[in-house]
């Protein structure tokens, strides 16, 4: 998403436009998720960056070594809940 957004409404419009441009159903992203992301706009949560960075490094090693299958498609880490989900987005 190009540019910085200031409000939850702007973020939701950008998300919906992005999904529409990629022919992805808009119900893939729940309004609650957009609201929670909007609450943290402009902040950087260092432990979250460490978790996502560690996961990314692990996935790169899987690709390089071809030992295990990497995460398929979409990985989302929820720092507020402390858990992650992996979604498969079909073309």
């Amino acid at each position: 998403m190009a540019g910085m957004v200031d409000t939850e409404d702007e973020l939701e419009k950008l998300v919906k436009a992005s999904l529409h441009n990629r022919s992805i159903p808009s119900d893939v992203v729940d309004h609650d998720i957009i609201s929670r992301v909007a609450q943290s706009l402009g902040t950087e949560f260092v432990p979250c960056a460490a978790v996502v960075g560690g996961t990314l490094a692990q996935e790169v090693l899987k690709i390089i070594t071809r030992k295990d299958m990497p995460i398929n498609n979409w990985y989302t880490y929820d720092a507020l809940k402390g858990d992650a989900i992996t979604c498969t987005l079909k073309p």
Side-chain angles (χ1 to χ4, degrees):
M1 287 180 260
M4 191 71 172
V5 294
D6 295 322
T7 67
E8 182 178 330
D9 292 333
E10 290 177 31
L11 179 62
E12 187 161 14
K13 287 178 186 174
L14 283 172
V15 169
K16 286 184 178 184
S18 180
L19 292 172
H20 177 73
N21 291 340
R22 291 169 175 79
S23 299
I24 299 172
S26 63
D27 61 349
V28 168
V29 179
D30 186 7
H31 176 75
D32 183 50
I33 293 172
I34 294 172
S35 178
R36 291 171 58 194
V37 168
Q39 290 174 3
S40 62
L41 288 173
T43 63
E44 183 177 342
F45 189 54
V46 177
C48 179
V51 169
V52 173
T55 302
L56 176 63
Q58 174 182 305
E59 296 307 305
V60 169
L61 287 174
K62 286 180 185 178
I63 292 169
I64 292 171
T65 63
R66 297 182 184 188
K67 190 171 183 177
D68 294 312
M69 287 295 296
I71 290 175
N72 187 16
N73 279 326
W74 193 268
Y75 173 80
T76 304
Y77 177 71
D78 186 341
L80 297 175
K81 289 183 180 178
D83 67 355
I85 58 170
T86 303
C87 302
T88 301
L89 300 178
K90 298 177 181 174

